[in-house]
Amino acid sequence: MRYGGAPEPGELDPAERLSRDELAALQLERLRRILDHAYRNVPFYRRSFDAHGVHPDDCGELADMARFPFTTKEDLRDNYPFGMFAVPRERIARIHASSGTTGRPTVVGYTRGDVELWAEVMARSIRAAGGRPGQLVHVAYGYGLFTGGLGAHYGAERLGCAVVPVSGGMTPRQVRLIEDFRPEVIMVTPSYLLALLDEFENQGLDPRRSSLRTAILGAEPWTEDMRAELEDRFDLHAVDVYGLSEVIGPGVAQECVETKDGLHVWEDHFYPETVDPFTGQAAESGELVLTTLTKQAMPVIRYRTRDLTRLLPGTARPAFRRIEKITGRSDDLIIVRGVNVFPTQIEELVLRTPGLSPHFQLRLTRPGRLDVLTVVVESRPGLTDPERAAAELRGAVRDGVGVRVEVEIVGPETLERSVGKLKRVVDSRDN
Ligand code: DLL
């Protein structure tokens, strides 16, 4: 079977019908091949395997994978820009990069075949989300070095959809295009979909009457409460798509619309493990570690994603394991006076507080010796008793998360909207 076979547009990929045993056999064969490819063609992997005393021939079964060393973002940065490539520069057909918050960007490369593979897994994802050939797909993920826009674009085309490549920004125009072109599907970050929702209302339009039926949301963590908010106010299905540039981009794992119970990892191409983020030992829930099984230009072996989740058995696609909705990244963790807080925990509680909108920011300051976490949150229009809403949220965070926070309620439309990935936390502790 070539990369999962070549299904008719809109059909299930033959790989999606494999049994668990067939999938495991395919994974082992591909794993052995990719370890060999990485070892022979990337000096970094040769050095790292040698230093750990392992060789690709040592992989006789899938469990042997645990003997191979991890790869980290720092390894990718150290080999900037093209040192992780396993094929000559001339065979690279596409470059993407993620800016990251500090230091050098992480550069990733694709062969023609990798670009095809990416379109294939992304087409699978859009179909699992409910998209079908012939539909119109509004892509509001950013186009450019970020993998969101082009990843969604090629996948939608591969599925047989028509694409409106809008990219992010110019919110009023986005709403006009949705009203005029009437797309069934939108692909966008959840935070930007919220901004679009508000813009619909600003223009006096009822979002529930828009043409949108499916929203494929990812690139940042979002919660079940946010799903409920978006589905209800837009009257559509909101499903989760996961991916990262180091592994391929969006399309590594996808939630199926019929179950909405976590994201099936396309395991015939990306092998998932979860490890304890501190010890690196296998753990039921913890940091997601991914190995690419088929990518040629830049294979990654046991890549530490820093994303926290849990592996679960498959449901809608029985052979493929699921990851639970990502609660956050290990680097998003805020430690306030010794208590661990993830922004998604606050998101849940904000959305459960009557009168508060889902637009909020977390500000960390250190006025004296102690850190103070302030939740700055916009009220919904018509909130009459902000004091009470603030007290309610403070109490919910104290009881639910175990930490004292300040709550500052601001008027609707005062916080800056994000166009691409949301920046939830503003840390001014060093100022
Ligand atoms: O964000 C790829 C992508 C684009 C995924 C569009 C989905 C939709 P990067 O810029 O490399 O790639 O950032 C990857 O974003 O390690 C996670 O921390 C986070 N992330 C991506 N999808 C989700 C999700 C793209 N569904 C990093 N839930 C990842 C939570 C997500 N976090």
Side-chain angles (χ1 to χ4, degrees):
M1 190 186 318
R2 205 176 61 85
Y3 289 144
E8 287 297 303
E11 293 299 307
L12 278 195
D13 196 318
E16 288 177 85
R17 300 184 190 277
L18 292 177
S19 70
R20 184 76 207 163
D21 286 348
E22 289 166 331
L23 179 62
L26 182 67
Q27 287 175 320
L28 179 59
E29 179 198 318
R30 289 180 167 178
L31 176 61
R32 292 171 55 104
R33 228 184 293 147
I34 209 72
L35 288 171
D36 188 58
H37 176 58
Y39 186 76
R40 277 194 290 119
N41 297 306
V42 186
F44 162 79
Y45 284 115
R46 179 175 291 261
R47 278 196 308 273
S48 140
F49 291 8
D50 286 351
H52 277 76
V54 281
H55 186 271
D57 291 344
D58 297 334
C59 185
E61 51 183 332
L62 284 171
D64 289 331
M65 187 147 194
R67 300 169 57 187
F68 288 81
F70 294 120
T71 306
T72 63
K73 198 173 188 83
E74 286 63 48
D75 295 328
L76 267 50
R77 292 216 172 106
D78 291 347
N79 289 282
Y80 175 88
F82 300 154
M84 296 299 275
F85 291 0
V87 299
R89 226 301 283 121
E90 297 68 36
R91 282 197 55 211
I92 298 288
R94 179 88 70 77
I95 305 269
H96 280 278
S98 73
S99 53
T101 38
T102 48
R104 293 169 169 173
T106 312
V107 179
V108 296
Y110 306 72
T111 62
R112 246 330 116 231
D114 295 337
V115 171
E116 293 276 311
L117 155 67
W118 188 14
E120 240 167 69
V121 288
M122 202 53 227
R124 230 193 248 183
S125 282
I126 298 170
R127 192 194 179 286
R132 289 294 179 273
Q135 292 186 331
L136 196 57
V137 179
H138 180 110
V139 177
Y141 286 120
Y143 280 65
L145 287 176
F146 175 55
T147 52
L150 286 166
H153 185 112
Y154 276 60
E157 284 192 348
R158 169 61 59 95
L159 183 63
C161 299
V163 182
V164 191
V166 190
S167 195
M170 298 200 275
T171 312
R173 190 181 69 141
Q174 302 247 359
V175 170
R176 201 167 339 113
L177 292 177
I178 294 171
E179 282 296 288
D180 295 347
F181 296 175
R182 304 195 57 74
E184 287 92 352
V185 180
I186 185 165
M187 301 179 72
V188 59
T189 56
S191 55
Y192 195 51
L193 186 59
L194 263 187
L196 291 177
L197 191 59
D198 290 349
E199 181 59 27
F200 263 86
E201 287 168 356
N202 286 344
Q203 294 190 18
L205 299 165
D206 179 359
R208 291 182 63 87
R209 302 188 59 164
S210 91
S211 56
L212 296 172
R213 289 294 157 261
T214 307
I216 308 178
L217 310 176
E220 63 194 23
W222 56 296
T223 58
E224 287 298 333
D225 294 86
M226 184 66 87
R227 189 203 312 270
E229 168 89 14
L230 292 169
E231 291 195 330
D232 179 51
R233 286 177 64 196
F234 250 129
D235 190 21
L236 47 61
H237 290 292
V239 285
D240 201 351
V241 60
Y242 169 80
L244 60 167
S245 25
E246 296 91 318
V247 169
I248 203 158
V252 173
Q254 173 68 44
E255 199 167 43
C256 292
V257 67
E258 59 270 44
T259 44
K260 293 185 187 163
D261 57 354
L263 301 87
H264 285 87
V265 182
W266 301 131
E267 277 198 67
D268 49 336
H269 297 290
F270 314 107
Y271 189 86
E273 302 170 76
T274 38
V275 303
D276 180 309
F278 301 104
T279 65
Q281 295 299 311
E284 233 175 74
S285 64
E287 180 179 346
L288 181 65
V289 171
L290 289 165
T291 297
T292 59
L293 296 176
T294 47
K295 217 173 50 159
Q296 292 301 304
M298 202 183 115
V300 289
I301 309 297
R302 304 196 82 206
Y303 185 70
R304 301 279 301 245
T305 66
R306 302 188 193 176
D307 293 323
L308 301 173
T309 183
R310 174 200 307 264
L311 274 175
L312 303 164
T315 51
R317 301 289 182 276
F320 293 86
R321 281 173 291 175
R322 287 167 299 147
I323 49 173
E324 217 167 52
K325 236 171 165 349
I326 308 262
T327 33
R329 293 173 63 74
S330 47
D331 9 3
D332 291 342
L333 181 67
I334 311 171
I335 304 179
V336 193
R337 300 190 294 276
V339 181
N340 294 352
V341 186
F342 277 108
T344 45
Q345 292 176 289
I346 308 283
E347 179 179 298
E348 275 174 9
L349 299 171
V350 166
L351 276 158
R352 286 176 201 177
T353 310
L356 299 186
S357 87
H359 298 286
F360 73 96
Q361 207 174 55
L362 298 176
R363 295 200 185 141
L364 263 174
T365 49
R366 189 178 290 151
R369 284 165 180 278
L370 290 179
D371 291 344
V372 174
L373 178 62
T374 307
V375 185
V376 185
V377 53
E378 285 182 12
S379 57
R380 289 192 197 260
L383 174 68
T384 46
D385 192 350
E387 288 299 311
R388 184 172 164 178
E392 219 170 292
L393 180 59
R394 261 196 310 274
V397 175
R398 189 190 54 231
D399 299 343
V401 188
V403 70
R404 270 176 208 286
V405 294
E406 303 288 324
V407 174
E408 185 184 329
I409 296 190
V410 296
E413 312 252 353
T414 37
L415 292 175
E416 200 188 328
R417 299 291 186 259
S418 82
V419 171
K421 273 185 204 273
L422 178 66
K423 189 166 165 12
R424 245 330 162 210
V425 184
V426 180
D427 188 346
S428 334
R429 281 177 299 182
D430 291 327
N431 301 341

